[in-house]
Amino acid sequence: NHETLEGKNKKDFLKGAELAYETILTSFANGDVKKLKSLLTATMNNNFSGAIEVRNKEKINSEFTFIGIKESSVEKYVKIKDDLSATVKFVAEVISVKKKDDKIIEGNPDKIKFVTDIWKFTRNINNKSPNWYLAEIISK
């Protein structure tokens, strides 16, 4: 059963996906574990909170500015039984810097960089919540 996302649905879905993308990246940089939990599948949540723990342990500071999304597109949309999954490609502009003891160890605060991410979102149609969850980061 192959469904497609068309017209207004697709537009609305991408708008939501873009918002989730920005929120997840920003929350991750800020170490906002609570907010992340509401947007991720259990597995992804473990990955993200694990990475935040490591960062905190190593006293690494993540400074992140989300400039904007240049483009987003649905690469794949599949319905298997009651599960929907949508793979979305994002091209975004960000400023990302990692610091340790106030020294920059990665990134450049004055340089906007382009990132291309392919993220897979899922939702179960029996779930009362219309929310999609990030299930997989396919490439970055």
Side-chain angles (χ1 to χ4, degrees):
N1 180 3
H2 193 78
E3 290 206 356
T4 54
L5 270 176
E6 295 303 331
K8 183 175 171 354
N9 275 352
K10 188 174 186 173
K11 242 193 170 121
D12 287 349
F13 169 76
L14 275 174
K15 218 192 225 147
E18 289 182 6
L19 187 64
Y21 179 70
E22 177 176 357
T23 307
I24 290 168
L25 288 181
T26 306
S27 303
F28 177 62
N30 297 336
D32 188 340
V33 187
K34 214 174 134 202
K35 188 168 250 177
L36 284 171
K37 200 178 170 155
S38 66
L39 295 161
L40 306 172
T41 61
T43 310
M44 283 309 282
N45 190 50
N46 287 343
N47 296 351
F48 273 84
S49 51
I52 290 169
E53 263 169 49
V54 168
R55 203 171 63 201
N56 291 344
K57 219 188 318 208
E58 295 176 359
K59 297 191 171 34
I60 292 170
N61 237 345
S62 179
E63 293 177 10
F64 182 80
T65 309
F66 193 89
I67 310 286
I69 290 177
K70 283 276 162 232
E71 57 174 287
S72 65
S73 56
V74 177
E75 304 282 288
K76 204 162 137 203
Y77 184 74
V78 184
K79 179 176 188 270
I80 299 166
K81 294 197 178 96
D82 294 337
D83 290 308
L84 301 176
S85 78
T87 305
V88 183
K89 177 179 170 191
F90 300 99
V91 180
E93 290 180 305
V94 302
I95 297 173
S96 178
V97 177
K98 284 194 180 112
K99 287 182 177 174
K100 188 171 176 137
D101 307 320
D102 282 335
K103 282 192 202 60
I104 293 173
I105 54 171
E106 192 185 295
N108 180 340
D110 307 312
K111 201 166 161 228
I112 293 175
K113 66 173 185 178
F114 276 94
V115 286
T116 300
D117 283 325
I118 297 175
W119 284 16
K120 184 177 174 185
F121 294 92
T122 59
R123 73 175 280 254
N124 185 296
I125 54 179
N126 298 323
N127 200 328
K128 285 191 175 53
S129 151
N131 292 354
W132 290 77
Y133 299 95
L134 174 62
E136 197 184 334
I137 294 177
I138 293 165
S139 65
K140 37 177 4 171

